[in-house]
Amino acid sequence: MHGEYIIEIATSDYTSTRQAVLGGADRIELCTNLGEGGTTPSYGLIKKCLEDFDVPVYPIIRIRGGDFLYTPEEMACMLEDVRACSQLGCKGVVFGALNRDATIDTEALKRIVDAAYPMKVTFHRAFDRCRDPLEALEQLIDAGCERILTSGQALTAPEGAGLIRNLQEIAGQRIVILPGSGVRPDNIAALALATGCKEFHASLRSVAGSTMTCFPAAFTNGDNHHYSVKAADVTALKAALTHAAQQ
């Protein structure tokens, strides 16, 4: 294995983004609500991350959790979010939409790609819910997407490595195939070898406890923690891939 590799880390707040950058992330997929698969972060969070971190920031454009079938009103909201990202100076956005029959919503996607220009567009894991991944691949290339985030239509990328490799071989240089879901330091080297991909996506979520010293009695055992990212975990992920590349 050899060549340049890129690590994208999904982060859900300012502190986790800072930790990801400190750990060596090459690109940030900025979200909130990672427990729901990620929804659009606030304007303030996007702006602050762009000001403070010198890596490409791609906010996810997703108005809610659940499926990827959107109403006209939901699409109108997401188009406004794309325009806001463009005004802020983001390098790209992450989006995905499907029709009721699990085909790519090419009309919605065209509106997003047009509104985003010259920002790049990554099509997210809505791809893993589509009916025909090979048909969808060609549609996303035709639409002008920069990359596809996918677990190979499996729960994790290592489980879907076969389809990911097939997508990578068919795509060639026309679009980037970005494996994501379940990517960790102990499997990223094998995943790179199995798929031939050069970019990888991970969240590396860890639990960050509250540093508050006092809670009302009713909330002492409540949900006082949140998910975050540790710089050391990102560094370990990159080191595992770099080591394998040198073999």
Side-chain angles (χ1 to χ4, degrees):
M1 290 167 44
H2 57 86
E4 295 291 327
Y5 289 96
I6 292 174
I7 297 293
E8 176 182 276
I9 301 295
T11 64
S12 57
D13 54 55
Y14 181 86
T15 301
S16 63
T17 304
R18 180 174 60 190
Q19 287 292 303
V21 173
L22 286 172
D26 300 297
R27 185 173 61 241
I28 297 295
E29 182 197 61
L30 190 60
C31 314
T32 54
N33 298 319
L34 277 176
E36 292 189 74
T39 54
T40 305
S42 74
Y43 180 95
L45 176 58
I46 299 169
K47 184 173 186 291
K48 185 64 172 169
C49 289
L50 288 171
E51 289 171 349
D52 291 1
F53 306 125
D54 190 24
V55 298
V57 173
Y58 280 51
I60 194 169
I61 306 298
R62 187 179 180 217
I63 194 169
R64 56 164 171 78
D67 66 23
F68 304 101
L69 176 66
Y70 296 114
T71 67
E73 294 79 10
E74 288 174 327
M75 276 301 304
C77 294
M78 290 189 285
L79 282 165
E80 287 301 320
D81 286 333
V82 169
R83 296 183 184 110
C85 289
S86 179
Q87 291 166 3
L88 284 170
C90 294
K91 297 297 185 183
V93 293
V94 181
F95 175 77
L98 301 177
N99 295 309
R100 197 176 301 277
D101 64 354
T103 56
I104 300 293
D105 187 341
T106 54
E107 180 179 342
L109 180 59
K110 182 180 187 305
R111 295 173 67 194
I112 292 292
V113 171
D114 288 348
Y117 185 83
M119 293 188 299
K120 305 297 186 180
V121 176
T122 297
F123 196 92
H124 60 47
R125 289 186 63 212
F127 180 87
D128 291 322
R129 277 74 167 177
C130 71
R131 187 173 63 188
D132 184 338
L134 300 186
E135 176 187 55
L137 171 66
E138 298 302 330
Q139 290 175 321
L140 297 181
I141 292 170
D142 290 343
C145 290
E146 181 185 32
R147 66 177 56 80
I148 301 170
L149 172 60
T150 179
S151 59
Q153 298 204 323
L155 291 179
T156 69
E159 293 173 279
L163 176 57
I164 295 172
R165 184 174 189 87
N166 193 23
L167 293 167
Q168 172 70 14
E169 291 173 346
I170 294 171
Q173 302 300 312
R174 297 182 297 160
I175 196 169
V176 175
I177 303 300
L178 175 66
S181 184
V183 177
R184 303 185 305 271
D186 63 358
N187 64 24
I188 192 170
L191 184 62
L193 183 62
T195 63
C197 293
K198 297 296 184 181
E199 299 191 13
F200 298 89
H201 171 100
S203 61
L204 300 176
R205 282 189 289 176
S206 59
V207 175
S210 174
T211 59
M212 293 184 66
T213 59
C214 181
F215 290 100
F219 299 97
T220 301
N221 296 318
D223 187 10
N224 301 316
H225 66 273
H226 64 279
Y227 290 112
S228 191
V229 175
K230 295 178 181 177
D233 292 341
V234 179
T235 301
L237 188 72
K238 291 201 72 172
L241 191 55
T242 300
H243 177 75
Q246 295 170 346
Q247 301 304 302

